[in-house]
Amino acid sequence: MTCEQVLSVDVTENNAGSFPIGVRILVVESDPTCLRIVSKMLQVFGYEVKTATRATDAMHILREKEDEINLILTETHLPDMDQYEILETVGELSSSPIVVFSADNNESTILGCLFKGAELYLVKPVIKNDVKNLWQLTYRTKLKTAVSGEGSNTFHGGSAEQNTSSLTVGNPASTMGMTDQKGKRKELEETDNDHEYIDNLTAPKKSKLVWTNELHNIFLQALRIVGVDGAHPKKILQHMNVPGLKKENVSSHLQKYRLYLKREQDGMQKTAVLHQHLIHKEGSLNTQTRNSS
DNA sequence: GAACTAATAT
DNA sequence: AATATTAGTT
């Protein structure tokens, strides 16, 4: 079997760095054999693998444990969902980067997936080298928090291996025209066309903090630790332990996050009412369990 | 005053 | 829309 050959991954190649270790990846693949092979490959490199064979299973996992997933690897030909539907649905459910792997080698299919939000498209058969560096996608936009005025930080954990060096992960522009796709590559985007004169010497340019997926995940992790009672900016900030991050940053993000939760909850109430009706029917059937004598 | 958060500004 | 900043409350 070629399967077993693929499984003989050279573990020695993994010694270069311990980077994929701890990266949690959700693999969605309907074919059990393929799922097993890919999962094994990932595990050898140190990924933490969760699996699903159906789109609905994947959705359940994401709904309940979205913050425990860093990366999603999915097939597009699933029994219970169309190829692009899975991308759309998962994209709404999770902020993690989505990688598609499929045997379909059509250019239009590949581009379609990329336009639908996939970060990367791998053509089967997937080999170890395809999978080895996927963890880099979780660092898609690096943390840039190095600013002046570093206060006293007496606490360091070890959670963040944030490397600001060149983690060049191509981000397929999501705002491209869809009809014209020729192989135009722009490697350099040095946009010097800003003719804005900075009047003052003491204006080093404030750059807004960008809440990347990674940063948001740290935020969610901190939220989980402090619990609902302690979900306040100062405590969250301490648990996040990200250098340069300010309490105000967390406050702002927390506000946005709460709005998001509320909006989600309001949306859920409609469906919740429907479910309640169903439950009520079942419940009324069971009410006669307590018939004495 | 410090921390929190809702409201507002960029 | 996302993030920063202000302002009002505890």
Side-chain angles (χ1 to χ4, degrees):
Chain A
M1 269 194 184
T2 53
C3 313
E4 306 306 328
Q5 291 172 352
V6 176
L7 286 183
S8 64
V9 178
D10 229 347
V11 188
T12 54
E13 290 190 21
N14 191 21
N15 287 343
S18 58
F19 252 123
I21 290 178
V23 172
R24 288 158 300 204
I25 183 168
L26 173 64
V27 183
V28 191
E29 161 64 77
S30 55
D31 176 41
T33 305
C34 186
L35 180 62
R36 195 179 111 258
I37 293 174
V38 174
S39 299
K40 185 63 185 177
M41 265 198 274
L42 287 164
Q43 282 166 351
V44 167
F45 282 120
Y47 292 92
E48 229 176 86
V49 179
K50 291 197 189 310
T51 61
T53 54
R54 294 168 178 274
T56 48
D57 298 337
M59 319 247 303
H60 284 138
I61 292 176
L62 287 177
R63 253 195 280 272
E64 281 156 35
K65 307 190 171 183
E66 196 277 327
D67 49 350
E68 295 179 17
I69 300 292
N70 305 124
L71 192 57
I72 297 163
L73 180 61
T74 180
E75 164 68 284
T76 47
H77 296 96
L78 296 167
D80 55 342
M81 206 171 266
D82 295 337
Q83 59 174 173
Y84 295 146
E85 198 180 351
I86 177 80
L87 286 173
E88 290 168 349
T89 317
V90 169
E92 289 172 5
L93 226 50
S94 169
S95 59
S96 304
I98 305 171
V99 177
V100 168
F101 70 123
S102 172
D104 193 341
N105 200 12
N106 290 329
E107 186 185 359
S108 60
T109 303
I110 296 175
L111 287 172
C113 286
L114 294 177
F115 282 130
K116 286 295 182 182
E119 293 292 325
L120 183 66
Y121 189 106
L122 299 175
V123 179
K124 284 180 184 175
V126 171
I127 60 175
K128 55 181 181 176
N129 280 316
D130 291 330
V131 137
K132 184 178 176 182
N133 293 318
L134 287 184
W135 62 270
Q136 294 183 10
L137 291 172
T138 65
Y139 285 74
R140 181 168 63 249
T141 42
K142 56 185 185 284
L143 303 177
K144 36 183 176 182
T145 50
V147 210
S148 60
E150 191 74 358
S152 56
N153 274 346
T154 40
F155 43 82
H156 345 267
S159 63
E161 327 253 12
Q162 329 293 15
N163 199 347
T164 51
S165 66
S166 59
L167 296 173
T168 56
V169 176
N171 187 2
S174 53
T175 59
M176 279 176 59
M178 34 197 317
T179 48
D180 184 21
Q181 60 299 67
K182 283 294 180 180
K184 291 181 183 176
R185 291 278 168 118
K186 278 188 183 176
E187 295 276 331
L188 283 180
E189 296 185 14
E190 293 297 331
T191 57
D192 281 353
N193 31 10
D194 288 340
H195 298 165
E196 300 252 312
Y197 293 107
I198 307 171
D199 41 297
N200 208 337
L201 314 162
T202 64
K205 246 191 185 180
K206 293 178 182 176
S207 60
K208 283 188 177 180
L209 173 70
V210 177
W211 284 86
T212 62
N213 290 326
E214 184 65 18
L215 193 52
H216 182 61
N217 281 335
I218 297 174
F219 171 81
L220 291 177
Q221 218 173 332
L223 268 191
R224 163 164 304 202
I225 292 173
V226 301
V228 246
D229 314 309
H232 303 298
K234 194 181 178 185
K235 199 171 268 184
I236 295 171
L237 178 66
Q238 287 173 355
H239 279 85
M240 285 184 69
N241 193 27
V242 174
L245 193 66
K246 300 295 190 308
K247 187 174 55 180
E248 285 77 12
N249 297 128
V250 177
S251 298
S252 181
H253 191 66
L254 181 62
Q255 184 178 61
K256 191 187 76 173
Y257 182 67
R258 282 170 172 161
L259 282 174
Y260 164 76
L261 285 183
K262 201 182 77 176
R263 163 160 78 66
E264 189 184 50
Q265 187 181 343
D266 289 348
M268 280 313 230
Q269 268 185 341
K270 298 170 188 170
T271 57
V273 171
L274 290 178
H275 286 171
Q276 273 189 350
H277 285 311
L278 295 176
I279 292 171
H280 264 235
K281 284 185 180 177
E282 288 182 26
S284 57
L285 290 177
N286 293 336
T287 45
Q288 27 185 304
T289 53
R290 243 320 176 189
N291 262 347
S292 55
S293 62

mmCIF file with all atom_site columns, all heavy atoms in Angstrom, chain A residues 78-89:
data_model
loop_
_atom_site.group_PDB
_atom_site.id
_atom_site.type_symbol
_atom_site.label_atom_id
_atom_site.label_alt_id
_atom_site.label_comp_id
_atom_site.label_asym_id
_atom_site.label_entity_id
_atom_site.label_seq_id
_atom_site.pdbx_PDB_ins_code
_atom_site.Cartn_x
_atom_site.Cartn_y
_atom_site.Cartn_z
_atom_site.occupancy
_atom_site.B_iso_or_equiv
_atom_site.pdbx_formal_charge
_atom_site.auth_seq_id
_atom_site.auth_comp_id
_atom_site.auth_asym_id
_atom_site.auth_atom_id
_atom_site.pdbx_PDB_model_num
ATOM 1   N N   . LEU A 1 78 ? -17.572 16.837 0.260  1.00 0.00 ? 78 LEU A N   1
ATOM 2   C CA  . LEU A 1 78 ? -18.118 16.168 1.432  1.00 0.00 ? 78 LEU A CA  1
ATOM 3   C C   . LEU A 1 78 ? -19.541 15.721 1.135  1.00 0.00 ? 78 LEU A C   1
ATOM 4   O O   . LEU A 1 78 ? -20.243 16.353 0.327  1.00 0.00 ? 78 LEU A O   1
ATOM 5   C CB  . LEU A 1 78 ? -18.087 17.115 2.637  1.00 0.00 ? 78 LEU A CB  1
ATOM 6   C CG  . LEU A 1 78 ? -16.675 17.517 3.054  1.00 0.00 ? 78 LEU A CG  1
ATOM 7   C CD1 . LEU A 1 78 ? -16.706 18.685 4.023  1.00 0.00 ? 78 LEU A CD1 1
ATOM 8   C CD2 . LEU A 1 78 ? -15.949 16.338 3.667  1.00 0.00 ? 78 LEU A CD2 1
ATOM 9   N N   . PRO A 1 79 ? -19.947 14.644 1.773  1.00 0.00 ? 79 PRO A N   1
ATOM 10  C CA  . PRO A 1 79 ? -21.266 14.085 1.454  1.00 0.00 ? 79 PRO A CA  1
ATOM 11  C C   . PRO A 1 79 ? -22.416 15.017 1.810  1.00 0.00 ? 79 PRO A C   1
ATOM 12  O O   . PRO A 1 79 ? -23.454 14.989 1.153  1.00 0.00 ? 79 PRO A O   1
ATOM 13  C CB  . PRO A 1 79 ? -21.316 12.815 2.319  1.00 0.00 ? 79 PRO A CB  1
ATOM 14  C CG  . PRO A 1 79 ? -20.317 13.032 3.383  1.00 0.00 ? 79 PRO A CG  1
ATOM 15  C CD  . PRO A 1 79 ? -19.240 13.862 2.771  1.00 0.00 ? 79 PRO A CD  1
ATOM 16  N N   . ASP A 1 80 ? -22.220 15.815 2.812  1.00 0.00 ? 80 ASP A N   1
ATOM 17  C CA  . ASP A 1 80 ? -23.356 16.594 3.297  1.00 0.00 ? 80 ASP A CA  1
ATOM 18  C C   . ASP A 1 80 ? -23.237 18.083 3.022  1.00 0.00 ? 80 ASP A C   1
ATOM 19  O O   . ASP A 1 80 ? -23.947 18.875 3.603  1.00 0.00 ? 80 ASP A O   1
ATOM 20  C CB  . ASP A 1 80 ? -23.562 16.341 4.799  1.00 0.00 ? 80 ASP A CB  1
ATOM 21  C CG  . ASP A 1 80 ? -22.292 16.614 5.585  1.00 0.00 ? 80 ASP A CG  1
ATOM 22  O OD1 . ASP A 1 80 ? -21.214 16.646 4.971  1.00 0.00 ? 80 ASP A OD1 1
ATOM 23  O OD2 . ASP A 1 80 ? -22.382 16.799 6.800  1.00 0.00 ? 80 ASP A OD2 1
ATOM 24  N N   . MET A 1 81 ? -22.324 18.443 2.140  1.00 0.00 ? 81 MET A N   1
ATOM 25  C CA  . MET A 1 81 ? -22.207 19.876 1.857  1.00 0.00 ? 81 MET A CA  1
ATOM 26  C C   . MET A 1 81 ? -21.484 20.115 0.536  1.00 0.00 ? 81 MET A C   1
ATOM 27  O O   . MET A 1 81 ? -20.591 19.358 0.152  1.00 0.00 ? 81 MET A O   1
ATOM 28  C CB  . MET A 1 81 ? -21.466 20.562 3.007  1.00 0.00 ? 81 MET A CB  1
ATOM 29  C CG  . MET A 1 81 ? -21.816 22.014 3.139  1.00 0.00 ? 81 MET A CG  1
ATOM 30  S SD  . MET A 1 81 ? -21.145 22.742 4.620  1.00 0.00 ? 81 MET A SD  1
ATOM 31  C CE  . MET A 1 81 ? -22.490 22.588 5.768  1.00 0.00 ? 81 MET A CE  1
ATOM 32  N N   . ASP A 1 82 ? -21.864 21.157 -0.143 1.00 0.00 ? 82 ASP A N   1
ATOM 33  C CA  . ASP A 1 82 ? -21.206 21.495 -1.398 1.00 0.00 ? 82 ASP A CA  1
ATOM 34  C C   . ASP A 1 82 ? -19.800 22.012 -1.137 1.00 0.00 ? 82 ASP A C   1
ATOM 35  O O   . ASP A 1 82 ? -19.479 22.420 -0.033 1.00 0.00 ? 82 ASP A O   1
ATOM 36  C CB  . ASP A 1 82 ? -22.018 22.566 -2.144 1.00 0.00 ? 82 ASP A CB  1
ATOM 37  C CG  . ASP A 1 82 ? -23.376 22.028 -2.558 1.00 0.00 ? 82 ASP A CG  1
ATOM 38  O OD1 . ASP A 1 82 ? -23.479 20.790 -2.667 1.00 0.00 ? 82 ASP A OD1 1
ATOM 39  O OD2 . ASP A 1 82 ? -24.289 22.830 -2.756 1.00 0.00 ? 82 ASP A OD2 1
ATOM 40  N N   . GLN A 1 83 ? -19.024 22.029 -2.201 1.00 0.00 ? 83 GLN A N   1
ATOM 41  C CA  . GLN A 1 83 ? -17.614 22.331 -2.014 1.00 0.00 ? 83 GLN A CA  1
ATOM 42  C C   . GLN A 1 83 ? -17.370 23.740 -1.482 1.00 0.00 ? 83 GLN A C   1
ATOM 43  O O   . GLN A 1 83 ? -16.473 23.950 -0.673 1.00 0.00 ? 83 GLN A O   1
ATOM 44  C CB  . GLN A 1 83 ? -16.844 22.098 -3.311 1.00 0.00 ? 83 GLN A CB  1
ATOM 45  C CG  . GLN A 1 83 ? -17.345 22.924 -4.473 1.00 0.00 ? 83 GLN A CG  1
ATOM 46  C CD  . GLN A 1 83 ? -16.457 22.765 -5.690 1.00 0.00 ? 83 GLN A CD  1
ATOM 47  O OE1 . GLN A 1 83 ? -16.759 23.241 -6.750 1.00 0.00 ? 83 GLN A OE1 1
ATOM 48  N NE2 . GLN A 1 83 ? -15.341 22.072 -5.529 1.00 0.00 ? 83 GLN A NE2 1
ATOM 49  N N   . TYR A 1 84 ? -18.145 24.693 -1.985 1.00 0.00 ? 84 TYR A N   1
ATOM 50  C CA  . TYR A 1 84 ? -17.909 26.056 -1.508 1.00 0.00 ? 84 TYR A CA  1
ATOM 51  C C   . TYR A 1 84 ? -18.705 26.347 -0.233 1.00 0.00 ? 84 TYR A C   1
ATOM 52  O O   . TYR A 1 84 ? -18.349 27.208 0.547  1.00 0.00 ? 84 TYR A O   1
ATOM 53  C CB  . TYR A 1 84 ? -18.280 27.068 -2.578 1.00 0.00 ? 84 TYR A CB  1
ATOM 54  C CG  . TYR A 1 84 ? -17.403 26.979 -3.796 1.00 0.00 ? 84 TYR A CG  1
ATOM 55  C CD1 . TYR A 1 84 ? -17.897 27.231 -5.066 1.00 0.00 ? 84 TYR A CD1 1
ATOM 56  C CD2 . TYR A 1 84 ? -16.054 26.641 -3.661 1.00 0.00 ? 84 TYR A CD2 1
ATOM 57  C CE1 . TYR A 1 84 ? -17.088 27.146 -6.171 1.00 0.00 ? 84 TYR A CE1 1
ATOM 58  C CE2 . TYR A 1 84 ? -15.242 26.546 -4.771 1.00 0.00 ? 84 TYR A CE2 1
ATOM 59  C CZ  . TYR A 1 84 ? -15.760 26.800 -6.019 1.00 0.00 ? 84 TYR A CZ  1
ATOM 60  O OH  . TYR A 1 84 ? -14.954 26.718 -7.105 1.00 0.00 ? 84 TYR A OH  1
ATOM 61  N N   . GLU A 1 85 ? -19.766 25.580 -0.063 1.00 0.00 ? 85 GLU A N   1
ATOM 62  C CA  . GLU A 1 85 ? -20.612 25.788 1.104  1.00 0.00 ? 85 GLU A CA  1
ATOM 63  C C   . GLU A 1 85 ? -19.835 25.558 2.393  1.00 0.00 ? 85 GLU A C   1
ATOM 64  O O   . GLU A 1 85 ? -19.976 26.309 3.357  1.00 0.00 ? 85 GLU A O   1
ATOM 65  C CB  . GLU A 1 85 ? -21.807 24.836 1.037  1.00 0.00 ? 85 GLU A CB  1
ATOM 66  C CG  . GLU A 1 85 ? -22.965 25.235 1.919  1.00 0.00 ? 85 GLU A CG  1
ATOM 67  C CD  . GLU A 1 85 ? -24.104 24.241 1.806  1.00 0.00 ? 85 GLU A CD  1
ATOM 68  O OE1 . GLU A 1 85 ? -24.041 23.360 0.922  1.00 0.00 ? 85 GLU A OE1 1
ATOM 69  O OE2 . GLU A 1 85 ? -25.038 24.344 2.603  1.00 0.00 ? 85 GLU A OE2 1
ATOM 70  N N   . ILE A 1 86 ? -18.993 24.558 2.373  1.00 0.00 ? 86 ILE A N   1
ATOM 71  C CA  . ILE A 1 86 ? -18.223 24.267 3.582  1.00 0.00 ? 86 ILE A CA  1
ATOM 72  C C   . ILE A 1 86 ? -17.306 25.433 3.919  1.00 0.00 ? 86 ILE A C   1
ATOM 73  O O   . ILE A 1 86 ? -17.140 25.805 5.074  1.00 0.00 ? 86 ILE A O   1
ATOM 74  C CB  . ILE A 1 86 ? -17.405 22.967 3.401  1.00 0.00 ? 86 ILE A CB  1
ATOM 75  C CG1 . ILE A 1 86 ? -16.539 22.679 4.624  1.00 0.00 ? 86 ILE A CG1 1
ATOM 76  C CG2 . ILE A 1 86 ? -16.484 23.029 2.212  1.00 0.00 ? 86 ILE A CG2 1
ATOM 77  C CD1 . ILE A 1 86 ? -17.262 22.066 5.762  1.00 0.00 ? 86 ILE A CD1 1
ATOM 78  N N   . LEU A 1 87 ? -16.756 26.037 2.883  1.00 0.00 ? 87 LEU A N   1
ATOM 79  C CA  . LEU A 1 87 ? -15.866 27.172 3.129  1.00 0.00 ? 87 LEU A CA  1
ATOM 80  C C   . LEU A 1 87 ? -16.634 28.350 3.714  1.00 0.00 ? 87 LEU A C   1
ATOM 81  O O   . LEU A 1 87 ? -16.181 28.995 4.656  1.00 0.00 ? 87 LEU A O   1
ATOM 82  C CB  . LEU A 1 87 ? -15.181 27.593 1.833  1.00 0.00 ? 87 LEU A CB  1
ATOM 83  C CG  . LEU A 1 87 ? -14.078 26.662 1.354  1.00 0.00 ? 87 LEU A CG  1
ATOM 84  C CD1 . LEU A 1 87 ? -13.578 27.077 -0.010 1.00 0.00 ? 87 LEU A CD1 1
ATOM 85  C CD2 . LEU A 1 87 ? -12.934 26.646 2.351  1.00 0.00 ? 87 LEU A CD2 1
ATOM 86  N N   . GLU A 1 88 ? -17.790 28.604 3.137  1.00 0.00 ? 88 GLU A N   1
ATOM 87  C CA  . GLU A 1 88 ? -18.579 29.733 3.627  1.00 0.00 ? 88 GLU A CA  1
ATOM 88  C C   . GLU A 1 88 ? -19.016 29.507 5.070  1.00 0.00 ? 88 GLU A C   1
ATOM 89  O O   . GLU A 1 88 ? -18.893 30.377 5.924  1.00 0.00 ? 88 GLU A O   1
ATOM 90  C CB  . GLU A 1 88 ? -19.814 29.918 2.732  1.00 0.00 ? 88 GLU A CB  1
ATOM 91  C CG  . GLU A 1 88 ? -19.452 30.437 1.349  1.00 0.00 ? 88 GLU A CG  1
ATOM 92  C CD  . GLU A 1 88 ? -20.631 30.327 0.380  1.00 0.00 ? 88 GLU A CD  1
ATOM 93  O OE1 . GLU A 1 88 ? -21.627 29.667 0.737  1.00 0.00 ? 88 GLU A OE1 1
ATOM 94  O OE2 . GLU A 1 88 ? -20.527 30.890 -0.719 1.00 0.00 ? 88 GLU A OE2 1
ATOM 95  N N   . THR A 1 89 ? -19.511 28.315 5.320  1.00 0.00 ? 89 THR A N   1
ATOM 96  C CA  . THR A 1 89 ? -20.038 28.031 6.651  1.00 0.00 ? 89 THR A CA  1
ATOM 97  C C   . THR A 1 89 ? -18.935 28.048 7.703  1.00 0.00 ? 89 THR A C   1
ATOM 98  O O   . THR A 1 89 ? -19.080 28.668 8.757  1.00 0.00 ? 89 THR A O   1
ATOM 99  C CB  . THR A 1 89 ? -20.711 26.650 6.657  1.00 0.00 ? 89 THR A CB  1
ATOM 100 O OG1 . THR A 1 89 ? -21.477 26.511 5.484  1.00 0.00 ? 89 THR A OG1 1
ATOM 101 C CG2 . THR A 1 89 ? -21.599 26.516 7.861  1.00 0.00 ? 89 THR A CG2 1
#
